[in-house]
Amino acid sequence: MIAEITRAGLLLVLATAVAFVLLNRWNATTDALEIAGFVQVGVDTGVRALLSVVLFVAAYTATRILKGILLGGTRSTNRAISEHQRRVSFYVSQIVLYTVAVFGTFSLWGFQLSNLLLGAGVLGIILGLAFQSTLASILAGFVLMLSRPFDVGHWVRIGEHEGFITEITVNHVRLRNLDGEHVVLPNEAVGNRTIINRSVEGKLRHRVEIGVDYSVDPESAGAIALEAMADLDEIMTQPAPQVFPIRFDDSAVVLELRFWIDNPTPQRKWQSLQAVIHSVKSAFKREDIKIPFPQRELTKRGERDAFRISDTDPPRSTNRQQSE
């Protein structure tokens, strides 16, 4: 990247030096201009052509320098500006610089800028109507750049799609879902959906519900569950795991186990869930804490509410016609 910037700078210096030397010599010798063929078009035309070349070389050099500043060097995820923001900023700066070079060249050659701006406005309206959806996605891409809800490599859920961000462009977002499929979402669709980012904090909390029998003290069961989760390598010790009784079920008092994992990925999520469930179940089995299955209890409330089921079959009806 440094070599590219240096090469662009040398190109600018060389173009400027050649233009300066030729401008001085044009005032000194007319014969040389006749041999070179500049007499037909005039010296003024040659000056404008050289200035136009210098203007575009300067724009090219400036874009190379901006590319080295914005996209070059070592990237860090902790920087205030994401890679997507730097890339979009470079593209915008490149468009601005070359637009200035084009309008500057038109001005050198005597074109009226007002007419050019009017024509550009009409052309913009036509292109806007023809490429309405594309322009909407591009504008949504700039909104995503400013709001910065996710970055490449983040584990996200966008609407009904869940996976890892693999590419962010001005027009679309590419996502690899948990089945290995690549999903391309237009930026306009991304901006209109709910976005859940599971990687931005660097940690993620999970919950597991477990029921204990009504004969068991919920506080004692919670302490045993915490002890079972304390030595697991799959979950974080800080923040520490927590256990809360959350509701009365038909057959059990339900406890909610809350724990955190770092560097969240789907694999680490399922590994931590598996480790917690196995460890807590084994601890409850050692302490003879029953995890009840759904059951129903039938009781008799009173004689009037009771009913009897006969053990014998009902008497069969006789056929009068046969008896007669």
Side-chain angles (χ1 to χ4, degrees):
M1 188 61 65
I2 297 177
E4 185 177 2
I5 295 175
T6 303
R7 187 166 54 251
L10 291 176
L11 181 61
L12 175 61
V13 172
L14 179 62
T16 305
V18 170
F20 180 76
V21 171
L22 289 177
L23 289 175
N24 287 334
R25 293 185 63 84
W26 284 342
N27 294 328
T29 58
T30 307
D31 295 337
L33 295 175
E34 292 177 355
I35 296 174
F38 279 99
V39 172
Q40 287 95 3
V41 296
V43 177
D44 186 60
T45 303
V47 173
R48 289 174 180 170
L50 283 176
L51 291 179
S52 300
V53 171
V54 171
L55 194 58
F56 275 98
V57 171
Y60 172 79
T61 304
T63 57
R64 295 304 94 188
I65 294 174
L66 285 175
K67 183 177 181 180
I69 295 174
L70 295 175
L71 304 181
T74 303
R75 296 176 177 82
S76 173
T77 57
N78 295 326
R79 294 179 63 177
I81 302 177
S82 67
E83 181 180 357
H84 176 53
Q85 287 177 314
R86 295 195 299 270
R87 187 171 297 277
V88 174
S89 299
F90 167 69
Y91 291 150
V92 173
S93 302
Q94 194 175 34
I95 292 173
V96 170
L97 289 172
Y98 279 114
T99 301
V100 171
V102 169
F103 278 101
T105 302
F106 285 152
S107 179
L108 285 174
W109 290 92
F111 290 97
Q112 294 293 328
L113 295 181
S114 58
N115 297 332
L116 292 175
L117 291 176
L118 179 61
V122 174
L123 181 61
I125 294 175
I126 296 173
L127 293 177
L129 294 175
F131 302 97
Q132 184 175 1
S133 59
T134 302
L135 292 176
S137 294
I138 293 175
L139 292 177
F142 285 106
V143 174
L144 289 176
M145 180 199 70
L146 296 176
S147 60
R148 201 178 161 193
F150 48 72
D151 207 343
V152 174
H154 282 185
W155 175 21
V156 300
R157 182 177 182 87
I158 303 175
E160 67 275 13
H161 300 287
E162 181 177 359
F164 295 91
I165 299 296
T166 59
E167 183 183 18
I168 304 173
T169 67
V170 180
N171 189 39
H172 66 267
V173 171
R174 188 182 297 272
L175 179 143
R176 188 184 73 249
N177 63 19
L178 304 183
D179 294 329
E181 302 169 335
H182 286 261
V183 181
V184 178
L185 300 173
N187 288 333
E188 183 182 9
V190 174
N192 294 332
R193 298 182 183 181
T194 301
I195 300 174
I196 300 176
N197 192 328
R198 297 192 169 120
S199 298
V200 67
E201 290 292 333
K203 60 183 179 181
L204 190 66
R205 188 175 71 176
H206 294 294
R207 306 178 184 186
V208 175
E209 293 185 0
I210 186 170
V212 298
D213 194 80
Y214 274 98
S215 62
V216 178
D217 181 17
E219 186 175 354
S220 300
I224 294 172
L226 284 175
E227 184 178 356
M229 293 188 293
D231 298 329
L232 295 178
D233 296 332
E234 290 82 1
I235 66 176
M236 300 176 63
T237 57
Q238 291 296 330
Q242 296 174 310
V243 179
F244 296 99
I246 57 174
R247 68 174 180 272
F248 295 105
D249 248 2
D250 293 338
S251 306
V253 177
V254 179
L255 305 179
E256 185 176 78
L257 315 180
R258 302 176 183 177
F259 54 92
W260 294 80
I261 62 172
D262 58 349
N263 300 321
T265 63
Q267 292 79 9
R268 293 178 62 86
K269 170 188 175 181
W270 296 119
Q271 290 172 0
S272 63
L273 289 174
Q274 182 180 13
V276 167
I277 291 174
H278 286 177
S279 180
V280 173
K281 185 179 183 299
S282 299
F284 281 6
K285 185 176 181 180
R286 289 194 305 267
E287 300 295 333
D288 198 23
I289 296 177
K290 184 179 179 182
I291 303 175
F293 52 84
Q295 53 188 311
R296 293 291 184 270
E297 183 177 297
L298 300 178
T299 60
K300 179 180 177 182
R301 300 183 62 182
E303 289 294 336
R304 295 182 178 180
D305 299 326
F307 60 92
R308 183 182 297 276
I309 300 176
S310 176
D311 296 331
T312 61
D313 295 334
R316 297 180 180 177
S317 62
T318 59
N319 193 330
R320 290 185 178 182
Q321 294 179 356
Q322 293 180 358
S323 61
E324 292 177 354

